[in-house]
Amino acid sequence: MAETVLTNTGLDNFLALLDAGPERSDPAFVRAAEAVLGLLALRGADRTGGLPEPAPELVRKVLVEDLPAFVYAPPGDLAAYPAVVAALAGRFDGELGQRVAAVVREAVPDFERAMTDPGNLTWHRWYASLLRTVGADLADADDVRRRIGALDGAPLPDGVLRADLMGRTALADTVLAEAVARAYVRDAEEPPAAGPLLTDHAVAAGVGRVTAALLDRWTAAGLTEQLTGAYARFAPGPDDFPHLVLADALLDEHMDYYGDPSVPVPPPAALDGAADVERHADELLAAVEELAEEEYEPFGGEAPHLLYALYQRGCAADSVARRAAEYEDWTVDPALEDVPVAVPEDVTGGYETPPVPELVRLLGSAGLGEDDRARLEGPARDLAVVADRLAATGLVLRSGDAFGLTPRGAATVRYLLRVRRIAAPTATETAALPARELVAAAAQWPHAPAARVLADWLHARGGTAEAWSELLAALGTVHAHASEGADVRALFELLDTAAAPPGALRGALRDPVIGAYALEALRARGEEADAVQVPLSARALRVLDGLPAKKGPLESRRAAFDAAAADWPGGSAALVRAMAEADRHAAGRVLGPLGVSLP
């Protein structure tokens, strides 16, 4: 029990000062007082006066960080914890009470959110909550032991992974152990007048025993013994998750692509919802580790990158030959890098490099010949060996030149991404996003999955004029001055505007960003459209986006700009000024290499 481990926390004095008040007889308040006073004392609160002084900075730390890590409290008991802090602060003279009251008012919403956030669960807190639902007396170790077996196979909250609880538990254990050790050293170096917080006898049993006793008191009596003994399988530790090594590698890949784990990857078109993702992740790790051996050089070490790159394509199949060509630094048309390839059926035998016409189609290089195909054959075969080893897990497929993730593989890689807090939504989740969030994400994706997701978003809303108008506004005005504005505008070209309600497109004519795009779409459908409504900025952006930005010789790109400027009212100076005012970032990127300076 915590009171036999932490001594001199001032708990008895504090409860005595409450006299016969209602809090004194409220078990929830008393339990909260044990935890709050104990944590304040562990964190170094001054106990000179017999009670731990609730310094404002300690109060916030205990409420927002410590209690959500170490203590289980049912929702109906949460108010007791800030109430304990307020009652404790009232026992000190001066301005302390007012300062603490202000901190509590500010921290309570964060405290309540953290205490109820499934992402903050540890094994102790989770099983304490489950034990309460089956009627266990959390203060009775015998009752906990009798009832815990009934929790076998209990599902976790939606969106929470076992690895999440494992990681949070390991972190909480480390933090609490450090707090206990520091408290003991602090008291040993400067013995407090109120007496030691931890006895030599308690510490001699080991810091782990102390933290276990505290967690049992703050969650459920005897729970540690059950979770490390007969029911250890209920609370797996780090050794039970070897695949987190692969998850770390995928996190590195994501950071290389996007630089931020909150930037989502596109959802797969198909996921196997019944997949045993932890087991499959272990199998995938074994394959990745085997591929890292010397015999699989030069591409074996690229396995994590290949897995991530396949997922980042929306799990659409890629070409072995095209990927090998990229590794060999061949020129690949950027417009073709992410184009999906068809997966042939009933292809057997070893890998064969595609014939020259197919290579030309895949790479976008018209000058390829049989000599080039022969040069690519070795690297492509080496890469196919890597794909085949991954395919032996059943999580990757390789058929002919095509390779990709199976639905089971997609589910497994998604699990590995989510374990490291990378945003990896499902198709259902992206279809539910607000238009502006969806557009911001899709602008960073390859075009094929972006087109699919945008179409699904519209389909989920019945393709109504309201849905189209919301999406078009997100493509236009909402992102008018964003640094990625050109990428957002490019999404317009991915929409099936032939299916758009004409009223939605006409409503977009006045948009200062995509008005000219809407005008072109209406004209392509043979419908009337008033070009006068299109703002100058939208017309300038359409010209800017139509200029070659990266492809072709500079001379031809400059010629394209000069041709556009010749038809622009006021000539090139007026056109450049309009482009710069509408999107200075894109204008500088496109016009700078052409020797055109912005005003």
Side-chain angles (χ1 to χ4, degrees), residues 101-153:
V103 169
V104 170
R105 283 195 300 272
E106 178 187 351
V108 161
D110 291 336
F111 159 72
E112 293 178 345
R113 190 161 42 246
M115 289 294 285
T116 55
D117 182 358
N120 285 335
L121 286 173
T122 63
W123 290 125
H124 273 79
R125 296 183 68 232
W126 171 237
Y127 281 107
S129 69
L130 293 179
L131 285 163
R132 180 175 175 272
T133 64
V134 297
D137 180 352
L138 300 185
D140 185 338
D142 290 334
D143 198 32
V144 167
R145 184 179 65 254
R146 285 191 297 269
R147 294 180 183 270
I148 192 170
L151 306 179
D152 198 0

CSV table of all heavy atoms in Angstrom, one decimal, residues 101-153:
chain,number,residue,atom,x,y,z
A,101,ALA,N,-5.0,28.4,-7.2
A,101,ALA,CA,-6.3,28.4,-7.8
A,101,ALA,C,-6.3,28.8,-9.2
A,101,ALA,O,-7.1,28.2,-10.0
A,101,ALA,CB,-7.2,29.3,-7.0
A,102,ALA,N,-5.5,29.7,-9.6
A,102,ALA,CA,-5.4,30.1,-11.0
A,102,ALA,C,-4.8,29.0,-11.9
A,102,ALA,O,-5.3,28.7,-13.0
A,102,ALA,CB,-4.6,31.4,-11.2
A,103,VAL,N,-3.8,28.3,-11.3
A,103,VAL,CA,-3.2,27.2,-12.1
A,103,VAL,C,-4.2,26.1,-12.2
A,103,VAL,O,-4.3,25.5,-13.3
A,103,VAL,CB,-1.9,26.7,-11.4
A,103,VAL,CG1,-1.4,25.4,-12.0
A,103,VAL,CG2,-0.8,27.8,-11.4
A,104,VAL,N,-4.9,25.8,-11.2
A,104,VAL,CA,-5.9,24.7,-11.3
A,104,VAL,C,-7.0,25.0,-12.3
A,104,VAL,O,-7.4,24.2,-13.1
A,104,VAL,CB,-6.5,24.5,-9.9
A,104,VAL,CG1,-7.7,23.5,-10.0
A,104,VAL,CG2,-5.5,23.9,-8.9
A,105,ARG,N,-7.5,26.3,-12.3
A,105,ARG,CA,-8.5,26.6,-13.3
A,105,ARG,C,-8.0,26.4,-14.7
A,105,ARG,O,-8.7,25.9,-15.6
A,105,ARG,CB,-9.0,28.1,-13.1
A,105,ARG,CG,-9.9,28.3,-11.9
A,105,ARG,CD,-10.6,29.7,-12.0
A,105,ARG,NE,-9.6,30.8,-12.0
A,105,ARG,CZ,-9.1,31.3,-10.9
A,105,ARG,NH1,-9.5,30.9,-9.7
A,105,ARG,NH2,-8.2,32.3,-11.0
A,106,GLU,N,-6.8,26.8,-14.9
A,106,GLU,CA,-6.2,26.7,-16.2
A,106,GLU,C,-5.9,25.2,-16.6
A,106,GLU,O,-6.1,24.8,-17.7
A,106,GLU,CB,-4.9,27.5,-16.3
A,106,GLU,CG,-4.2,27.3,-17.6
A,106,GLU,CD,-2.8,28.0,-17.6
A,106,GLU,OE1,-2.5,28.7,-16.6
A,106,GLU,OE2,-2.1,27.8,-18.6
A,107,ALA,N,-5.5,24.4,-15.6
A,107,ALA,CA,-5.1,23.0,-15.9
A,107,ALA,C,-6.2,22.0,-15.9
A,107,ALA,O,-6.0,20.9,-16.5
A,107,ALA,CB,-4.0,22.6,-14.8
A,108,VAL,N,-7.3,22.3,-15.2
A,108,VAL,CA,-8.4,21.3,-15.1
A,108,VAL,C,-8.8,20.7,-16.5
A,108,VAL,O,-8.9,19.5,-16.6
A,108,VAL,CB,-9.5,21.8,-14.3
A,108,VAL,CG1,-10.8,21.0,-14.6
A,108,VAL,CG2,-9.2,21.8,-12.8
A,109,PRO,N,-9.1,21.6,-17.5
A,109,PRO,CA,-9.5,21.0,-18.8
A,109,PRO,C,-8.4,20.0,-19.3
A,109,PRO,O,-8.8,19.0,-19.8
A,109,PRO,CB,-9.7,22.2,-19.7
A,109,PRO,CG,-10.0,23.3,-18.7
A,109,PRO,CD,-9.1,23.0,-17.5
A,110,ASP,N,-7.1,20.4,-19.2
A,110,ASP,CA,-6.1,19.5,-19.7
A,110,ASP,C,-6.0,18.3,-18.9
A,110,ASP,O,-5.7,17.2,-19.4
A,110,ASP,CB,-4.7,20.3,-19.7
A,110,ASP,CG,-4.7,21.4,-20.7
A,110,ASP,OD1,-5.4,21.3,-21.7
A,110,ASP,OD2,-3.9,22.3,-20.5
A,111,PHE,N,-6.2,18.4,-17.6
A,111,PHE,CA,-6.1,17.3,-16.7
A,111,PHE,C,-7.3,16.3,-17.0
A,111,PHE,O,-7.0,15.1,-17.2
A,111,PHE,CB,-6.3,17.7,-15.2
A,111,PHE,CG,-6.8,16.7,-14.3
A,111,PHE,CD1,-5.9,15.6,-13.9
A,111,PHE,CD2,-8.1,16.7,-13.8
A,111,PHE,CE1,-6.4,14.7,-13.0
A,111,PHE,CE2,-8.5,15.7,-12.9
A,111,PHE,CZ,-7.7,14.7,-12.5
A,112,GLU,N,-8.5,16.8,-17.2
A,112,GLU,CA,-9.6,15.9,-17.5
A,112,GLU,C,-9.4,15.2,-18.9
A,112,GLU,O,-9.7,14.0,-19.1
A,112,GLU,CB,-10.9,16.7,-17.5
A,112,GLU,CG,-11.2,17.1,-16.0
A,112,GLU,CD,-12.5,17.9,-16.0
A,112,GLU,OE1,-13.0,18.4,-17.1
A,112,GLU,OE2,-13.1,18.1,-14.9
A,113,ARG,N,-8.9,16.0,-19.8
A,113,ARG,CA,-8.7,15.4,-21.2
A,113,ARG,C,-7.6,14.4,-21.1
A,113,ARG,O,-7.7,13.3,-21.7
A,113,ARG,CB,-8.2,16.6,-22.1
A,113,ARG,CG,-8.2,16.2,-23.6
A,113,ARG,CD,-8.2,17.5,-24.5
A,113,ARG,NE,-7.4,18.5,-24.0
A,113,ARG,CZ,-7.9,19.7,-23.5
A,113,ARG,NH1,-9.2,19.9,-23.5
A,113,ARG,NH2,-7.1,20.6,-23.1
A,114,ALA,N,-6.5,14.6,-20.4
A,114,ALA,CA,-5.4,13.6,-20.3
A,114,ALA,C,-5.9,12.4,-19.5
A,114,ALA,O,-5.5,11.3,-19.9
A,114,ALA,CB,-4.2,14.3,-19.6
A,115,MET,N,-6.7,12.5,-18.5
A,115,MET,CA,-7.1,11.4,-17.7
A,115,MET,C,-8.1,10.5,-18.5
A,115,MET,O,-8.2,9.3,-18.3
A,115,MET,CB,-7.8,11.8,-16.4
A,115,MET,CG,-6.9,12.4,-15.4
A,115,MET,SD,-5.7,11.2,-14.7
A,115,MET,CE,-6.7,10.3,-13.6
A,116,THR,N,-8.8,11.0,-19.5
A,116,THR,CA,-9.7,10.3,-20.3
A,116,THR,C,-9.2,9.9,-21.7
A,116,THR,O,-9.9,9.3,-22.4
A,116,THR,CB,-11.1,11.0,-20.4
A,116,THR,OG1,-10.8,12.3,-20.9
A,116,THR,CG2,-11.7,11.2,-19.0
A,117,ASP,N,-8.0,10.4,-22.0
A,117,ASP,CA,-7.5,10.1,-23.4
A,117,ASP,C,-7.0,8.7,-23.4
A,117,ASP,O,-6.1,8.3,-22.7
A,117,ASP,CB,-6.3,11.1,-23.6
A,117,ASP,CG,-5.7,10.9,-25.0
A,117,ASP,OD1,-6.2,10.0,-25.7
A,117,ASP,OD2,-4.8,11.7,-25.3
A,118,PRO,N,-7.5,7.8,-24.3
A,118,PRO,CA,-7.0,6.5,-24.4
A,118,PRO,C,-5.6,6.4,-24.8
A,118,PRO,O,-4.9,5.4,-24.5
A,118,PRO,CB,-7.9,5.9,-25.6
A,118,PRO,CG,-9.1,6.7,-25.6
A,118,PRO,CD,-8.7,8.1,-25.2
A,119,GLY,N,-5.0,7.4,-25.4
A,119,GLY,CA,-3.6,7.4,-25.8
A,119,GLY,C,-2.7,7.5,-24.6
A,119,GLY,O,-1.5,7.3,-24.7
A,120,ASN,N,-3.3,7.8,-23.4
A,120,ASN,CA,-2.4,7.9,-22.2
A,120,ASN,C,-2.6,6.7,-21.3
A,120,ASN,O,-2.0,6.6,-20.2
A,120,ASN,CB,-2.9,9.1,-21.3
A,120,ASN,CG,-2.4,10.4,-21.9
A,120,ASN,OD1,-1.4,10.4,-22.6
A,120,ASN,ND2,-3.0,11.5,-21.6
A,121,LEU,N,-3.3,5.6,-21.8
A,121,LEU,CA,-3.4,4.4,-21.0
A,121,LEU,C,-2.1,3.7,-20.8
A,121,LEU,O,-1.3,3.6,-21.7
A,121,LEU,CB,-4.5,3.5,-21.6
A,121,LEU,CG,-5.9,3.9,-21.5
A,121,LEU,CD1,-6.8,3.0,-22.4
A,121,LEU,CD2,-6.4,3.9,-20.1
A,122,THR,N,-1.9,3.1,-19.6
A,122,THR,CA,-0.9,2.2,-19.4
A,122,THR,C,-1.6,0.8,-19.1
A,122,THR,O,-2.8,0.8,-18.9
A,122,THR,CB,0.0,2.6,-18.1
A,122,THR,OG1,-0.9,2.6,-17.0
A,122,THR,CG2,0.6,3.9,-18.3
A,123,TRP,N,-0.8,-0.2,-19.0
A,123,TRP,CA,-1.4,-1.5,-18.7
A,123,TRP,C,-2.1,-1.5,-17.3
A,123,TRP,O,-3.2,-2.0,-17.2
A,123,TRP,CB,-0.4,-2.6,-18.6
A,123,TRP,CG,0.2,-3.0,-20.0
A,123,TRP,CD1,1.5,-3.0,-20.3
A,123,TRP,CD2,-0.6,-3.4,-21.1
A,123,TRP,NE1,1.6,-3.5,-21.7
A,123,TRP,CE2,0.4,-3.7,-22.2
A,123,TRP,CE3,-1.9,-3.6,-21.4
A,123,TRP,CZ2,0.0,-4.1,-23.4
A,123,TRP,CZ3,-2.3,-4.0,-22.7
A,123,TRP,CH2,-1.3,-4.3,-23.7
A,124,HIS,N,-1.5,-0.8,-16.3
A,124,HIS,CA,-2.1,-0.7,-15.0
A,124,HIS,C,-3.4,0.0,-15.0
A,124,HIS,O,-4.4,-0.4,-14.5
A,124,HIS,CB,-1.2,-0.1,-14.0
A,124,HIS,CG,-0.2,-1.0,-13.3
A,124,HIS,ND1,0.9,-1.5,-14.0
A,124,HIS,CD2,-0.2,-1.6,-12.1
A,124,HIS,CE1,1.6,-2.3,-13.2
A,124,HIS,NE2,0.9,-2.3,-12.0
A,125,ARG,N,-3.4,1.2,-15.7
A,125,ARG,CA,-4.6,2.0,-15.7
A,125,ARG,C,-5.7,1.3,-16.5
A,125,ARG,O,-6.9,1.4,-16.2
A,125,ARG,CB,-4.3,3.4,-16.3
A,125,ARG,CG,-3.3,4.2,-15.5
A,125,ARG,CD,-3.1,5.6,-16.1
A,125,ARG,NE,-4.3,6.4,-16.0
A,125,ARG,CZ,-4.8,7.0,-17.0
A,125,ARG,NH1,-4.3,7.0,-18.2
A,125,ARG,NH2,-5.9,7.8,-16.8
A,126,TRP,N,-5.3,0.6,-17.6
A,126,TRP,CA,-6.3,0.0,-18.5
A,126,TRP,C,-7.0,-1.2,-17.7
A,126,TRP,O,-8.2,-1.3,-17.7
A,126,TRP,CB,-5.7,-0.5,-19.7
A,126,TRP,CG,-6.5,-1.4,-20.6
A,126,TRP,CD1,-6.2,-2.6,-21.0
A,126,TRP,CD2,-7.8,-1.1,-21.2
A,126,TRP,NE1,-7.2,-3.1,-21.8
A,126,TRP,CE2,-8.2,-2.2,-21.9
A,126,TRP,CE3,-8.6,0.0,-21.1
A,126,TRP,CZ2,-9.4,-2.2,-22.6
A,126,TRP,CZ3,-9.8,0.0,-21.8
A,126,TRP,CH2,-10.2,-1.1,-22.6
A,127,TYR,N,-6.2,-2.0,-17.1
A,127,TYR,CA,-6.8,-3.2,-16.4
A,127,TYR,C,-7.5,-2.7,-15.1
A,127,TYR,O,-8.5,-3.4,-14.8
A,127,TYR,CB,-5.7,-4.2,-16.1
A,127,TYR,CG,-5.5,-5.0,-17.4
A,127,TYR,CD1,-4.3,-4.9,-18.1
A,127,TYR,CD2,-6.4,-5.9,-17.9
A,127,TYR,CE1,-4.0,-5.6,-19.2
A,127,TYR,CE2,-6.2,-6.6,-19.0
A,127,TYR,CZ,-5.0,-6.5,-19.7
A,127,TYR,OH,-4.8,-7.2,-20.9
A,128,ALA,N,-7.1,-1.7,-14.5
A,128,ALA,CA,-7.9,-1.2,-13.4
A,128,ALA,C,-9.3,-0.7,-13.8
A,128,ALA,O,-10.3,-1.0,-13.2
A,128,ALA,CB,-7.2,0.0,-12.7
A,129,SER,N,-9.4,-0.1,-15.0
A,129,SER,CA,-10.7,0.4,-15.5
A,129,SER,C,-11.5,-0.8,-15.9
A,129,SER,O,-12.7,-0.8,-15.6
A,129,SER,CB,-10.5,1.3,-16.7
A,129,SER,OG,-10.0,0.6,-17.8
A,130,LEU,N,-10.9,-1.9,-16.5
A,130,LEU,CA,-11.7,-3.1,-16.8
A,130,LEU,C,-12.1,-3.8,-15.5
A,130,LEU,O,-13.3,-4.3,-15.5
A,130,LEU,CB,-10.8,-4.0,-17.7
A,130,LEU,CG,-10.5,-3.5,-19.1
A,130,LEU,CD1,-9.6,-4.6,-19.8
A,130,LEU,CD2,-11.7,-3.3,-19.9
A,131,LEU,N,-11.3,-3.9,-14.5
A,131,LEU,CA,-11.7,-4.6,-13.3
A,131,LEU,C,-12.8,-3.9,-12.7
A,131,LEU,O,-13.7,-4.5,-12.1
A,131,LEU,CB,-10.5,-4.6,-12.3
A,131,LEU,CG,-9.4,-5.6,-12.7
A,131,LEU,CD1,-8.1,-5.3,-11.9
A,131,LEU,CD2,-9.8,-7.0,-12.4
A,132,ARG,N,-12.9,-2.6,-12.7
A,132,ARG,CA,-14.0,-1.8,-12.2
A,132,ARG,C,-15.3,-2.2,-12.9
A,132,ARG,O,-16.3,-2.3,-12.3
A,132,ARG,CB,-13.7,-0.3,-12.2
A,132,ARG,CG,-14.8,0.5,-11.7
A,132,ARG,CD,-14.4,2.0,-11.7
A,132,ARG,NE,-15.6,2.8,-11.2
A,132,ARG,CZ,-16.5,3.3,-12.1
A,132,ARG,NH1,-16.4,3.1,-13.4
A,132,ARG,NH2,-17.5,4.1,-11.6
A,133,THR,N,-15.2,-2.4,-14.2
A,133,THR,CA,-16.4,-2.7,-15.0
A,133,THR,C,-17.0,-4.0,-14.7
A,133,THR,O,-18.2,-4.3,-14.8
A,133,THR,CB,-16.1,-2.6,-16.5
A,133,THR,OG1,-15.2,-3.6,-16.9
A,133,THR,CG2,-15.6,-1.2,-16.9
A,134,VAL,N,-16.1,-4.9,-14.2
A,134,VAL,CA,-16.6,-6.3,-13.8
A,134,VAL,C,-16.9,-6.4,-12.3
A,134,VAL,O,-17.2,-7.4,-11.7
A,134,VAL,CB,-15.7,-7.4,-14.2
A,134,VAL,CG1,-15.5,-7.4,-15.7
A,134,VAL,CG2,-14.3,-7.2,-13.5
A,135,GLY,N,-16.9,-5.2,-11.6
A,135,GLY,CA,-17.3,-5.1,-10.2
A,135,GLY,C,-16.3,-5.4,-9.2
A,135,GLY,O,-16.6,-5.7,-8.0
A,136,ALA,N,-15.0,-5.4,-9.6
A,136,ALA,CA,-13.9,-5.8,-8.6
A,136,ALA,C,-13.8,-4.6,-7.6
A,136,ALA,O,-13.9,-3.4,-8.0
A,136,ALA,CB,-12.6,-6.0,-9.4
A,137,ASP,N,-13.4,-5.0,-6.4
A,137,ASP,CA,-13.0,-4.0,-5.4
A,137,ASP,C,-11.5,-3.7,-5.6
A,137,ASP,O,-10.7,-4.5,-5.4
A,137,ASP,CB,-13.2,-4.6,-4.0
A,137,ASP,CG,-12.9,-3.6,-2.9
A,137,ASP,OD1,-12.3,-2.5,-3.2
A,137,ASP,OD2,-13.1,-3.9,-1.7
A,138,LEU,N,-11.2,-2.5,-6.1
A,138,LEU,CA,-9.9,-2.2,-6.5
A,138,LEU,C,-8.9,-2.1,-5.3
A,138,LEU,O,-7.7,-2.1,-5.5
A,138,LEU,CB,-9.8,-0.9,-7.3
A,138,LEU,CG,-10.6,-0.9,-8.6
A,138,LEU,CD1,-10.4,0.4,-9.4
A,138,LEU,CD2,-10.3,-2.1,-9.5
A,139,ALA,N,-9.4,-2.1,-4.2
A,139,ALA,CA,-8.6,-2.0,-3.0
A,139,ALA,C,-8.4,-3.4,-2.4
A,139,ALA,O,-7.7,-3.5,-1.4
A,139,ALA,CB,-9.2,-1.1,-1.9
A,140,ASP,N,-8.9,-4.4,-3.0
A,140,ASP,CA,-8.8,-5.8,-2.4
A,140,ASP,C,-8.0,-6.6,-3.4
A,140,ASP,O,-8.5,-7.0,-4.5
A,140,ASP,CB,-10.3,-6.3,-2.2
A,140,ASP,CG,-10.3,-7.7,-1.6
A,140,ASP,OD1,-9.2,-8.4,-1.6
A,140,ASP,OD2,-11.3,-8.1,-1.0
A,141,ALA,N,-6.8,-7.0,-3.0
A,141,ALA,CA,-5.9,-7.8,-3.9
A,141,ALA,C,-6.5,-9.1,-4.2
A,141,ALA,O,-6.4,-9.6,-5.3
A,141,ALA,CB,-4.5,-7.9,-3.3
A,142,ASP,N,-7.2,-9.7,-3.2
A,142,ASP,CA,-7.8,-11.0,-3.5
A,142,ASP,C,-8.9,-11.0,-4.5
A,142,ASP,O,-9.0,-11.8,-5.4
A,142,ASP,CB,-8.3,-11.6,-2.2
A,142,ASP,CG,-7.2,-12.0,-1.2
A,142,ASP,OD1,-6.1,-12.3,-1.7
A,142,ASP,OD2,-7.5,-12.0,0.0
A,143,ASP,N,-9.7,-9.9,-4.4
A,143,ASP,CA,-10.8,-9.8,-5.4
A,143,ASP,C,-10.2,-9.5,-6.8
A,143,ASP,O,-10.7,-10.0,-7.8
A,143,ASP,CB,-11.7,-8.6,-5.0
A,143,ASP,CG,-13.1,-8.7,-5.7
A,143,ASP,OD1,-13.5,-9.8,-6.0
A,143,ASP,OD2,-13.6,-7.6,-5.9
A,144,VAL,N,-9.1,-8.7,-6.9
A,144,VAL,CA,-8.5,-8.4,-8.1
A,144,VAL,C,-8.0,-9.7,-8.7
A,144,VAL,O,-8.2,-10.0,-9.9
A,144,VAL,CB,-7.3,-7.4,-8.0
A,144,VAL,CG1,-6.5,-7.4,-9.2
A,144,VAL,CG2,-7.9,-6.0,-7.7
A,145,ARG,N,-7.4,-10.6,-7.9
A,145,ARG,CA,-6.8,-11.9,-8.4
A,145,ARG,C,-8.0,-12.8,-8.9
A,145,ARG,O,-7.8,-13.4,-9.9
A,145,ARG,CB,-6.1,-12.6,-7.3
A,145,ARG,CG,-5.4,-13.9,-7.7
A,145,ARG,CD,-4.6,-14.5,-6.6
A,145,ARG,NE,-5.5,-15.0,-5.6
A,145,ARG,CZ,-5.6,-14.4,-4.4
A,145,ARG,NH1,-4.8,-13.3,-4.1
A,145,ARG,NH2,-6.4,-14.8,-3.5
A,146,ARG,N,-9.1,-12.8,-8.2
A,146,ARG,CA,-10.2,-13.6,-8.6
A,146,ARG,C,-10.8,-13.2,-10.0
A,146,ARG,O,-11.3,-14.0,-10.7
A,146,ARG,CB,-11.3,-13.7,-7.5
A,146,ARG,CG,-10.9,-14.5,-6.3
A,146,ARG,CD,-12.2,-14.7,-5.4
A,146,ARG,NE,-12.7,-13.4,-4.9
A,146,ARG,CZ,-12.3,-12.9,-3.8
A,146,ARG,NH1,-11.4,-13.5,-3.0
A,146,ARG,NH2,-12.8,-11.7,-3.3
A,147,ARG,N,-10.8,-11.9,-10.2
A,147,ARG,CA,-11.6,-11.4,-11.3
A,147,ARG,C,-10.8,-11.1,-12.6
A,147,ARG,O,-11.3,-10.9,-13.7
A,147,ARG,CB,-12.3,-10.1,-10.9
A,147,ARG,CG,-13.4,-10.3,-9.9
A,147,ARG,CD,-14.1,-9.0,-9.5
A,147,ARG,NE,-15.1,-9.1,-8.5
A,147,ARG,CZ,-16.4,-9.4,-8.7
A,147,ARG,NH1,-16.8,-9.6,-9.9
A,147,ARG,NH2,-17.2,-9.5,-7.7
A,148,ILE,N,-9.5,-11.0,-12.5
A,148,ILE,CA,-8.7,-10.5,-13.6
A,148,ILE,C,-8.7,-11.5,-14.8
A,148,ILE,O,-8.7,-11.2,-15.9
A,148,ILE,CB,-7.2,-10.2,-13.2
A,148,ILE,CG1,-6.5,-9.5,-14.3
A,148,ILE,CG2,-6.5,-11.5,-12.8
A,148,ILE,CD1,-5.2,-9.0,-13.9
A,149,GLY,N,-8.9,-12.8,-14.5
A,149,GLY,CA,-9.0,-13.8,-15.5
A,149,GLY,C,-10.1,-13.6,-16.5
A,149,GLY,O,-10.0,-14.0,-17.7
A,150,ALA,N,-11.2,-13.0,-16.0
A,150,ALA,CA,-12.3,-12.7,-16.9
A,150,ALA,C,-12.0,-11.7,-18.0
A,150,ALA,O,-12.9,-11.5,-18.9
A,150,ALA,CB,-13.5,-12.2,-16.0
A,151,LEU,N,-10.9,-11.0,-17.9
A,151,LEU,CA,-10.6,-10.0,-18.8
A,151,LEU,C,-9.8,-10.5,-20.0
A,151,LEU,O,-9.4,-9.7,-20.9
A,151,LEU,CB,-9.8,-8.9,-18.1
A,151,LEU,CG,-10.4,-8.3,-16.9
A,151,LEU,CD1,-9.6,-7.2,-16.2
A,151,LEU,CD2,-11.8,-7.7,-17.2
A,152,ASP,N,-9.6,-11.8,-20.1
A,152,ASP,CA,-8.8,-12.3,-21.2
A,152,ASP,C,-9.4,-12.0,-22.5
A,152,ASP,O,-10.6,-12.3,-22.7
A,152,ASP,CB,-8.7,-13.9,-21.0
A,152,ASP,CG,-7.6,-14.4,-21.9
A,152,ASP,OD1,-6.9,-13.7,-22.5
A,152,ASP,OD2,-7.4,-15.7,-21.8
A,153,GLY,N,-8.7,-11.4,-23.4
A,153,GLY,CA,-9.2,-11.1,-24.7
A,153,GLY,C,-10.0,-9.8,-24.8
A,153,GLY,O,-10.6,-9.5,-25.8
